[in-house]
Amino acid sequence: MAEQLAGLADDRALLGRTSTAERVSDILRSRIAEGYFPPGTRLSEDSIGGALGVSRNTLREAFRLLTHERLLVHELNRGVFVRILTVEDVEDIYRTRTLVECAVVRGLGEPPYALEGLRASVAEGERATVDNDWKELGTANFHFHRELVALAGSARTDELMRSVFAELRLAFHVVDEPRSLHEPYLRRNRQILQALEAGDAAEAERLLTGYLADSSARVVEVYRRRVAEERAL
């Protein structure tokens, strides 16, 4: 916990002079997504509030926001914990991703499309692969899907999927197989990008639908096995 708190102390500069619950929740959301606070971790108000230099009330409001996003849970008389997803949660996350991401691609309209963000995320993933940095490849993969959703030009959709992606990363931390989870999909990211560069949104949607179906099957399979192993201990 000491290492995680030291990292949070470094984030104090991000709060600036107007420390708000929203900014605190942004920091904690990012830290949870990065694995600083793995699923099941109890979050201490005193320790985290001290590291960030924020009041107890501000921190509690941030916890409330993240609980609403399903990243945290409050347990009576025990405190606030990073949520542990169920297998059904993971399945539902993928259903949501399929509904939203495929709808974004389907509704793109006429090319050309603003693909700079997608290109950058594919390049980011290729660099991570060269470096054998599989967790960074996972981050690049999330960036790809975030940029894909951003093509809709909808702040509400971006906000919705920000929470969905953060929640999905809770599952990935439990699975903890970053190479097998992410390496096969870098090539598929590139194929989706190439279809969009060619102005073929229908082909991009077809590729994306298959991609998400395969990813869902793989993640759910491994997650179900890990949950069963934890229960057997």
Side-chain angles (χ1 to χ4, degrees):
M1 178 63 76
E3 180 182 350
Q4 291 95 324
L5 292 175
L8 281 180
D10 293 337
D11 288 331
R12 288 179 69 166
L14 299 176
L15 296 174
R17 295 182 179 179
T18 56
S19 298
T20 65
E22 288 81 5
R23 291 187 180 183
V24 172
S25 67
D26 285 345
I27 289 171
L28 292 178
R29 184 187 302 104
S30 295
R31 291 297 185 172
I32 291 168
E34 291 165 3
Y36 274 71
F37 301 113
T41 302
R42 181 180 180 276
L43 302 184
S44 165
E45 287 185 2
D46 291 339
S47 298
I48 292 176
L52 289 174
V54 298
S55 70
R56 186 182 296 269
N57 286 340
T58 295
L59 187 59
R60 286 178 176 174
E61 176 62 13
F63 283 171
R64 189 192 67 79
L65 292 171
L66 294 177
T67 299
H68 180 70
E69 293 181 17
R70 302 172 62 84
L71 296 178
L72 302 180
V73 292
H74 180 268
E75 298 186 12
L76 188 63
N77 299 324
R78 294 193 64 218
V80 176
F81 295 80
V82 179
R83 189 159 171 261
I84 300 174
L85 303 181
T86 65
V87 173
E88 291 74 19
D89 288 326
V90 179
E91 292 172 332
D92 192 42
I93 287 168
Y94 270 96
R95 278 194 293 270
T96 302
R97 291 188 65 190
T98 301
L99 285 169
V100 174
E101 294 186 49
C102 291
V104 167
V105 174
R106 193 180 314 123
L108 282 178
E110 295 299 317
Y113 310 120
L115 303 176
E116 293 78 9
L118 286 179
R119 293 188 186 101
S121 63
V122 169
E124 179 186 359
E126 290 170 343
R127 289 192 298 270
T129 300
V130 169
D131 294 336
N132 292 324
D133 189 339
W134 308 116
K135 288 190 175 181
E136 185 60 29
L137 175 58
T139 297
N141 192 38
F142 275 102
H143 289 167
F144 179 87
H145 289 276
R146 183 189 65 194
E147 295 295 339
L148 187 70
V149 170
L151 293 176
S154 166
R156 290 176 178 81
T157 305
D158 290 343
E159 183 177 358
L160 166 67
M161 295 307 293
R162 178 185 64 178
S163 297
V164 169
F165 290 143
E167 196 176 355
L168 181 59
R169 294 191 80 157
L170 294 180
F172 285 174
H173 294 317
V174 172
V175 172
D176 197 25
E177 295 181 5
R179 181 172 186 172
S180 65
L181 285 177
H182 303 300
E183 187 179 24
Y185 297 98
L186 176 60
R187 175 182 57 83
R188 298 174 80 163
N189 287 347
R190 191 182 305 110
Q191 290 175 338
I192 292 170
L193 172 60
Q194 289 170 344
L196 291 174
E197 287 176 329
D200 192 345
E203 173 64 6
E205 183 186 356
R206 186 190 69 80
L207 292 168
L208 179 61
T209 301
Y211 175 122
L212 291 174
D214 292 344
S215 179
S216 175
R218 170 62 176 160
V219 172
V220 169
E221 174 194 7
V222 179
Y223 195 82
R224 181 178 284 112
R225 184 170 68 244
R226 288 296 170 86
V227 169
E229 291 170 353
E230 289 292 326
R231 289 174 177 169
L233 293 179

